[in-house]
Amino acid sequence: MSNIVILAGSPTLGSRLFGLTDYVQEKLTDAGHSIDWFSAAELPAEDLLRANFNSEVVKDLNASVEAADAVIIASPVYKASYSGALKTILDLIPQKGLQGKLVLPLFIGGTIAHLLAVDYALKPVVAALGGTHILGGVFAVDQWVSRLENGGFALEEQLRERLDEAVTQLNLELACYRLVTEEQKQGQVV
C-alpha cells in the first residue's frame, strides 16, 4: 500500500493528541499502510533545538518523509497556533520536503475558537515546504478525548466519525495517487 509518516508535535507523552493519532494509525495500519512515527516528545531535544541535520534521528526522519506518500501533521494548539515542538520538527524538513505529499492535519485544542489554527498557522509553513495538497483534516476539542485509567484514550462518537471520514478521504487520495503514479510509469497521459 502506501508509506505514511506521522509527525506528532506534542511535547508531552500523555497528550490527548495521541488519542487522535493512535486511532488514525490503527485505521491506516488495518488498511495495509506502512506507518513511520516521529514524536517531539520522544525525539532528542538537543537535536531538535539545535537543528542537528547530522543526527541519525533527523536523517531517519527526513528519509521517512522523503519516502512517504502522505504526512500526517498532528499538534495541540497553544496560543492560536501549533506547538513550538512541532515547529522544531518542521524546521528539520528540507525546503521542498513535502512536495508531492498528501498532508493530513490533526489538531486538538481547548476550544473550537482555535479551529482556524490549521489555515492561518500550519498551511503557510506546509506551502513553504512544497506541500500543495492539504486535506481538510480534523480539529478536536480536548473534552472529546478522555484518558483511560489503564492507558490509552476514549474518543467521543462525533470525533471518531470525523477521524473515520478523514481516513477515508486519505485512502481515496492515496488510491488516486497510486493510479496516477502507475500511469506515469507506463508513459500514459493523465
Side-chain angles (χ1 to χ4, degrees), residues 2-186:
S2 297
N3 295 321
I4 301 172
V5 173
I6 298 175
L7 303 176
S10 176
T12 58
L13 289 173
S15 173
R16 286 182 171 90
L17 175 70
F18 296 113
L20 280 67
T21 55
D22 291 350
Y23 184 87
V24 167
Q25 180 177 356
E26 182 179 333
K27 295 289 184 180
L28 292 170
T29 301
D30 289 349
H33 300 294
S34 171
I35 309 291
D36 284 336
W37 177 276
F38 295 92
S39 169
E42 297 176 320
L43 293 171
E46 184 77 14
D47 291 344
L48 288 174
L49 294 175
R50 298 201 183 277
N52 181 2
F53 293 98
N54 292 318
S55 161
E56 290 304 315
V57 173
V58 173
K59 289 178 184 177
D60 289 346
L61 178 136
N62 282 323
S64 291
V65 170
E66 184 177 343
D69 302 305
V71 178
I72 295 172
I73 300 177
S75 180
V77 174
Y78 302 133
K79 309 231 186 312
S81 186
Y82 55 85
S83 72
L86 177 62
K87 180 68 165 98
T88 62
I89 294 173
L90 295 175
D91 285 345
L92 296 171
I93 297 174
Q95 185 66 33
K96 295 296 180 186
L98 296 180
Q99 189 168 4
K101 316 285 181 208
L102 296 170
V103 177
L104 175 65
L106 298 178
F107 276 39
I108 189 166
T111 172
I112 200 74
H114 295 299
L115 175 66
L116 295 177
V118 172
D119 290 331
Y120 292 113
L122 182 66
K123 285 185 178 180
V125 175
V126 169
L129 293 172
T132 57
H133 198 106
I134 305 169
L135 301 178
V138 174
F139 181 89
V141 177
D142 287 340
Q143 294 83 357
W144 298 347
V145 181
S146 304
R147 290 184 185 92
L148 300 175
E149 286 183 28
N150 61 345
F153 301 91
L155 308 180
E156 295 283 329
E157 177 70 22
Q158 65 178 323
L159 178 55
R160 287 194 313 272
E161 289 173 3
R162 293 178 62 222
L163 290 169
D164 288 343
E165 289 173 16
V167 168
T168 298
Q169 182 64 38
L170 180 59
N171 281 324
L172 288 171
E173 296 285 344
L174 286 167
C176 290
Y177 174 79
R178 282 191 306 276
L179 179 63
V180 168
T181 302
E182 286 302 314
E183 288 177 352
Q184 288 173 341
K185 285 180 184 176
Q186 295 173 5

